[in-house]
Amino acid sequence: MTDPKETINIENVVASTGIGQELDLQSVAMDLEGADYDPEQFPGLVYRTQNPKSAALIFRSGKIVCTGAKSTADVHESLHIVFDKLRDLRIDVDEEPDIVVQNIVTSADLGRNLNLNAIAIGLGLENIEYEPEQFPGLVYRLDDPDVVALLFGSGKLVITGGKQPEDAEEAVDVIVSRLEDLGLLE
């Protein structure tokens, strides 16, 4: 049987940063090739990088959110491309603005079907939300690591709220251990 930790895949990394000054997004949008800015639809300017693939949401306040990256290294690389593009427009950007990872979304596979009803009862209702009529997954809030895991009957997991890739590995270990203790993972 495959170790579930070997199936962990990063689906999305979200990070934030800022350049410490307000921006005229209309002007930036006109000068930044490939930028999308429609303030009627969304208050930020969207700038997509292709390699690595991500989207930077640039706000008037100078705050920037990067989403869609597949690794923390890709987030840093994407944001450095954005910083360079802004510098090319003569916008003052620090040499190394702080980049803070806000959320890492990962997927994993336990490799067997799960009885979500039994898991909901076994794990106790204080950390669980399970309403199959509303949503097919069981929502499991872990304290350590501080993440939320969605468990599906297929054995697939989605883990969100991590700040570093290791959080997903720890979460899988905790979930496997708890389910084995309950005899719900043979």
Side-chain angles (χ1 to χ4, degrees):
M1 189 188 79
T2 310
D3 177 355
K5 285 192 294 195
E6 291 175 19
T7 69
I8 292 173
N9 189 36
I10 294 178
E11 303 295 339
N12 185 17
V13 178
V14 178
S16 61
T17 186
I19 60 167
Q21 63 179 303
E22 290 213 350
L23 295 169
D24 175 354
L25 293 183
Q26 197 67 55
S27 160
V28 172
M30 288 175 13
D31 296 339
L32 185 58
E33 193 176 324
D36 289 324
Y37 181 54
D38 183 353
E40 304 273 317
Q41 297 296 313
F42 182 71
L45 178 152
V46 179
Y47 182 74
R48 290 176 174 79
T49 60
Q50 293 309 312
N51 193 10
K53 203 169 176 76
S54 76
L57 313 175
I58 303 170
F59 297 94
R60 189 173 56 85
S61 65
K63 296 262 186 263
I64 302 172
V65 175
C66 179
T67 184
K70 298 290 187 187
S71 71
T72 53
D74 284 357
V75 159
H76 285 264
E77 196 176 330
S78 294
L79 283 170
H80 282 284
I81 291 168
V82 172
F83 297 150
D84 288 343
K85 294 285 185 188
L86 293 174
R87 288 184 191 109
D88 290 347
L89 301 178
R90 306 220 184 298
I91 294 170
D92 188 31
V93 177
D94 287 348
E95 193 58 41
E96 285 295 322
D98 276 346
I99 297 172
V100 179
V101 172
Q102 301 291 342
N103 184 16
I104 299 177
V105 179
T106 54
S107 62
D109 190 346
L110 296 179
R112 55 200 90 112
N113 289 341
L114 301 174
N115 179 340
L116 298 181
N117 287 318
I119 291 170
I121 293 164
L123 290 175
L125 298 175
E126 59 277 352
N127 297 324
I128 296 290
E129 287 175 41
Y130 182 50
E131 296 182 39
E133 320 72 49
Q134 303 287 320
F135 181 69
L138 179 146
V139 180
Y140 182 20
R141 297 181 192 289
L142 286 81
D143 293 325
D144 189 24
D146 185 12
V147 298
V148 175
L150 305 176
L151 285 69
F152 295 92
S154 64
K156 301 260 195 285
L157 306 177
V158 174
I159 300 163
T160 184
K163 303 282 192 229
Q164 50 205 17
E166 297 77 36
D167 290 343
E169 292 178 18
E170 287 178 41
V172 167
D173 280 342
V174 167
I175 291 165
V176 166
S177 169
R178 295 213 175 126
L179 294 181
E180 283 176 345
D181 287 351
L182 294 167
L184 297 172
L185 205 59
E186 285 78 44

